[in-house]
Amino acid sequence: MDQHLVFSSFPILSTLIFLPLVAALIMLFVNSERYCKYISLCFTSVVAVLSLVLIVGFDTETTKFQFAEKAVWISSLDINYVVGIDGISILLVVMTALIMPFCILASWSYIKLRVKAFLICLMVMETAMIGVFVALDFILFYVLWEAMLIPMYLIIGIWGGPRKIYASVKFFLYTLAGSILLLVAIIWLYWQNEYSFFIPDMMWHHYALGSQILVFIAFFLAFAIKVPMFPFHTWLPAAHVEAPTAGSVILASILLKMGTYGFLRFALPIVPDATYQLMPFVLWLSIAGIIYGGFTALAQNDMKKLIAYSSVGHMGFVTLGIFILNKQGIEGAILQMINHGVTTGALFLCVGMIYERTHSRELSMAAGVGKYMPIFVTFLTFFSLASLGFPGTNSFVGEFMILAGTFQFDIEAGRFPWLALAAIPGALLAAAYMLRMLQRIIWGGVDNPDQSWIKDINAREIVILAPFLFFVLWIGLSPGPFLDLIDASVTDLLQNLTMHRTHSLSLNLMAPY
Amino acid sequence: MLLFLPELIILISALILFLVSLGTPSEKTLRNIVLCLTGLLLLVTLTCINNKGTLFFAAYQIDLYSQLFKLLIAAATFIVIVFSGNTPGIGQRIRAEYYMFLFTGLLGLMMLVSSVELLAIFISLELSSFALYIMVPMRQSSGAHDYHLESGIKYLLFGVMATGFMLFGMSYLFGLTGSTYLKDIIPSISYLYNQPAAVTGIIMVMAGFFYKLGLFPFHFWVPDIYEGAANETTSFVAAIPKLAAVALLIRLLAMVSVDGQILVNLLLLCSICSMFYGNLSALAQKDVKRILGYSGISHAGFILFGLLTFNLEGYSNALYYTIGYAAMTLTCFLTICAATPNGNNLKLEDLKGLHGRSPLLALTFALGLFSLAGIPPFVGFTGKLMILINAFKQGYVVPVILAALNTAIAIYYYLSMVRLAYCSDDSKESVMVSDGWSNKSLALLLVLFIITMGIFPTWFLDMAATVIGATV
């Protein structure tokens, strides 16, 4: 086990995981809602600052898991508390830690009822989310993956919109049903690997192809529902629309990434042969998601629904990038995961700000607010352009890399680039629905409702949005530092994949037919 | 004498309550007496935990295993007594008698976990059953319907039938082996695993315990008795006899092993059917106690599934799961009892807006339900995980997948209860909940127990393994 890990002297990952939980425990005994807000803001900010230490101390040369920690948890089954990060997870961990303070700020005046309970739910969510990205023991991963459902269910179910009950139950059932077979697959892998739950131990084995395909299907169900890939996406619009702003941001920016992270961390290295076998299906499902998400978003009048469907399309790009299995594709996919987190998170925050003023998510109700909210629409324009992949913004880099990777994939396979051509309309559709939304919100038409009483965003809201804009432009103009962080791990992943592929093929050749 | 101390205490308590029932004790005096007696029992079982020895011509064995179960039974009873408060479901006039029968039933259960001889088993099982037959219809009549009488009769008829099966099976075992002592029967029967007579005998003996456990196909009484009996009685029936039944099943399963293919397959079938039957039926229910009854059937299936691996690990997992199950059920019933101060049944819609009326109890209820549903990090998840892993090691791949699917089915009805408690607004005619400090601290204690047991299972599993290893 230890050959995969680089231990650190200070348990920084555990600190990141458990600090929010400590905050939740403290808040249990604090009665004042005001103090609860400050406590949660304070703790999440500390976590956010601490997470930057990861970036500073990260070694971009090694492909091992860094900042690792290990402790025995359930000895009789060899279940351990093992955590560590590599290039695939580092950006996700840091993004999670950085977004949480803004979720608290965004709920500052939005949540009026039972504030303390809401903040406790957010804190528990943060613990589980960071834990999912750093867990290196499959049971630890599964426990956090499932435990996350409870606070998220409550966030949607208690503080959500009018159809919150339907949305929360659908979210819970979908996600849980998807991950049930994941547990069986985990136990199967444990049994195959001489009773070890350590994730790196499970990678790059030559399991029988039949079992690999079954395990892949179990993985696929769990992760594709979380992403969500077409046709498993139907829980997403409901959940996004009904959740409070902070809930939507967490869902879009972090929870969806767990699905794609799951593909990268588990599906590719643990069942590589099945990945190669089933890759075409996943790729065409991604294309279907891109096109479907784009067209559906084009028809929405509810802003949150529009962004939710755009997420389906964007996440389609991410899964496309992952499963073309080349360097540009996977690096683009990881970068696009971050980009989607930043831009969609920011867009949901923007919609939340309008909703706080007009108490409606309808496009028609928000039509023409540009006249009275100039600062707001400036931000909104940047984020919308980023979302549609305008050059100079972050999504352009990610989508460009993915599309370039897709072309390369087609060309290497020696055929006409059908796949890449099929994905291109997705980018066009994104421009169409985003510009449509922008046009309505900024200018509207002749029949705009009276918006003259609306105040522009205040200092707190500017503080919330500004960092997102910063990252939109930074990643858009200079993605180098981010790609450096993930490069070593992705290269290693692809090398192993190729080696494994060659090996499997040679084994097949030697089989006595 | 000392070996028999816990049982003696119960016997004396029952007699004291009999004397009390002759007078007209005030509500408060009676409650204090009962609380003192149960507290004393808990202390005594705790001090007797290390006793060892045999009594009554070796028909009655006292070891760590039996004493641990006695402690668990006493603790569970104590919890039920504390949260049932003034037992609003039982008429004031018969309350003392009710407690007397409760203690008699308790005596039977305590004796059951120590019995290692067929007749002793039979007598203690009957002692506990007959007390419960009377306790179930003792509910205060609430207006038009007399569900409690109907359920009392049902419980009696099914119970007597199960006992008949068991006696018949015992006669087979005696006929085949010439002894009524388990320690003689087990080695002799091991040559006869696949003989039809032995299979029939063993299955029939187990039927008696399947009945107590509420396992398919001996589950028919469960929903009706859960619904018909007073909330306090249901709490008792839901948790405590199951502990004793599992104790005895572990002893009896030594008769079977993986080699007895027919038996194993039959039991596996029972366990899987139990899970599906319980979970699917629960989906359609409107009464909270009925839902928990059906969920109990499916959990019984899970417990049996754990036992069917026939190794020490499997037995300790099953024991761990049973303890966890008792804790989770009691957590839920605590809320049910607290939410019905008038002793009525709790309909699903009565849960509406519970979080507004009592945040702590709503949280307790939700966590108990999530745990029953098998969501980490609670004990329900860890228990299921252990059982599934162990079953996988034994090669039960298809049953493991079926069991996992059941978790997905079950989540719906658990979630619908949480949904009502949390996401709906208060209904107009909802009654206040009684959340005094005793209920609150008990709720906190149980929740902490569920979480600790779920996150740090090692100590519990080790303890279970030591205890069982010394016996089987």
Side-chain angles (χ1 to χ4, degrees), chain B residues 82-410:
Chain B
V82 171
F83 75 63
S84 55
N86 288 325
T87 55
I90 310 295
Q92 159 78 32
R93 265 184 342 113
I94 52 169
R95 222 165 259 173
E97 283 93 333
Y98 173 81
Y99 281 121
M100 189 191 88
F101 285 118
L102 192 146
F103 272 88
T104 325
L106 202 56
L107 178 66
L109 293 174
M110 289 250 180
M111 285 168 58
L112 192 59
V113 298
S114 271
S115 303
V116 288
E117 194 255 3
L118 294 183
L119 286 179
I121 293 175
F122 176 71
I123 291 173
S124 15
L125 194 67
E126 285 305 276
L127 186 58
S128 68
S129 300
F130 269 91
L132 283 172
Y133 295 153
I134 303 171
M135 280 163 69
V136 169
M138 269 181 138
R139 183 177 201 180
Q140 186 159 33
S141 193
S142 58
H145 35 65
D146 285 325
Y147 286 140
H148 53 290
L149 296 180
E150 183 196 330
S151 56
I153 290 287
K154 273 189 183 158
Y155 196 37
L156 177 70
L157 290 181
F158 281 118
V160 169
M161 206 174 72
T163 317
F165 274 126
M166 193 169 89
L167 270 180
F168 190 61
M170 282 181 174
S171 74
Y172 268 44
L173 289 188
F174 178 69
L176 286 169
T177 59
S179 167
T180 55
Y181 286 91
L182 285 183
K183 68 173 185 331
D184 298 334
I185 293 176
I186 289 165
S188 333
I189 207 101
S190 61
Y191 304 108
L192 304 167
Y193 283 146
N194 289 322
Q195 294 296 316
V199 171
T200 320
I202 294 173
I203 283 287
M204 288 201 167
V205 170
M206 286 189 177
F209 299 99
F210 287 176
Y211 163 77
K212 278 269 162 210
L213 205 56
L215 193 93
F216 182 91
F218 297 93
H219 61 274
F220 289 103
W221 60 275
V222 175
D224 290 328
I225 274 64
Y226 272 48
E227 190 186 9
N231 295 343
E232 301 80 14
T233 321
T234 313
S235 319
F236 187 81
V237 175
I240 297 156
K242 292 193 173 163
L243 283 169
V246 169
L248 245 282
L249 265 182
I250 292 178
R251 280 198 206 274
L252 284 175
L253 276 174
M255 281 197 274
V256 193
S257 84
V258 197
D259 310 329
Q261 265 312 317
I262 309 173
L263 257 180
V264 175
N265 287 343
L266 209 58
L267 293 177
L268 208 55
L269 191 69
C270 283
S271 115
I272 298 293
C273 287
S274 229
M275 295 179 205
F276 273 102
Y277 178 86
N279 283 330
L280 290 176
S281 311
L283 292 175
Q285 303 305 320
K286 296 268 178 295
D287 184 284
V288 177
K289 281 198 294 175
R290 252 185 122 79
I291 296 182
L292 287 179
Y294 280 113
S295 111
I297 297 176
S298 74
H299 282 278
F302 237 104
I303 293 171
L304 182 65
F305 190 43
L307 291 173
L308 284 183
T309 48
F310 302 106
N311 52 21
L312 183 60
E313 223 180 333
Y315 293 150
S316 35
N317 289 344
L319 175 54
Y320 171 83
Y321 195 84
T322 315
I323 299 175
Y325 174 70
M328 302 183 271
T329 326
L330 287 178
T331 313
C332 296
F333 273 102
L334 182 148
T335 331
I336 293 178
C337 283
T340 52
N342 49 11
N344 286 341
N345 273 3
L346 192 68
K347 296 275 169 219
L348 268 183
E349 58 260 35
D350 297 336
L351 284 172
K352 275 185 183 170
L354 185 67
H355 75 284
R357 284 178 275 158
S358 169
L360 180 71
L361 280 182
L363 183 70
T364 314
F365 192 51
L367 295 186
L369 290 175
F370 279 132
S371 179
L372 280 172
I375 309 277
F378 307 109
V379 62
F381 167 75
T382 320
K384 275 186 182 146
L385 177 72
M386 302 284 166
I387 287 177
L388 291 184
I389 289 176
N390 199 34
F392 213 108
K393 283 187 190 167
Q394 293 290 315
Y396 297 141
V397 180
V398 178
V400 164
I401 294 178
L402 291 177
L405 285 180
N406 259 288
T407 318
I409 303 174

Side-chain angles (χ1 to χ4, degrees), chain A residues 120-142:
Chain A
I120 290 178
C121 281
L122 280 188
M123 293 295 102
V124 177
M125 278 301 289
E126 181 167 15
T127 291
M129 289 186 302
I130 295 183
V132 160
F133 289 130
V134 301
L136 291 181
D137 183 281
F138 228 141
I139 292 297
L140 181 66
F141 170 83
Y142 189 80

Side-chain angles (χ1 to χ4, degrees), chain A residues 73-74 77 114 142-143 146-147 150 153 157-158 164-165 169 172-173 176 180 183-184 187-188 190 195 197, chain B residues 313 355 370 375-376 378 381 385-386 388-389 392-393 401 404 407-408 411-412 415 419 422-423 455 457-458:
Chain A
W73 182 14
I74 304 173
L77 292 175
R114 291 149 51 72
Y142 189 80
V143 165
E146 293 273 279
I150 299 175
Y153 168 77
I158 298 181
K164 59 189 182 181
I165 294 179
V169 170
F172 200 113
L173 289 182
L176 190 99
I180 287 296
L183 184 63
V184 180
I187 298 176
W188 184 83
Y190 167 74
Y195 305 127
F197 279 116
Chain B
E313 223 180 333
H355 75 284
F370 279 132
I375 309 277
F378 307 109
F381 167 75
L385 177 72
M386 302 284 166
L388 291 184
I389 289 176
F392 213 108
K393 283 187 190 167
I401 294 178
T407 318
I411 186 67
Y412 181 76
L415 200 62
R419 183 191 77 201
Y422 267 96
C423 310
I455 299 183
T458 312

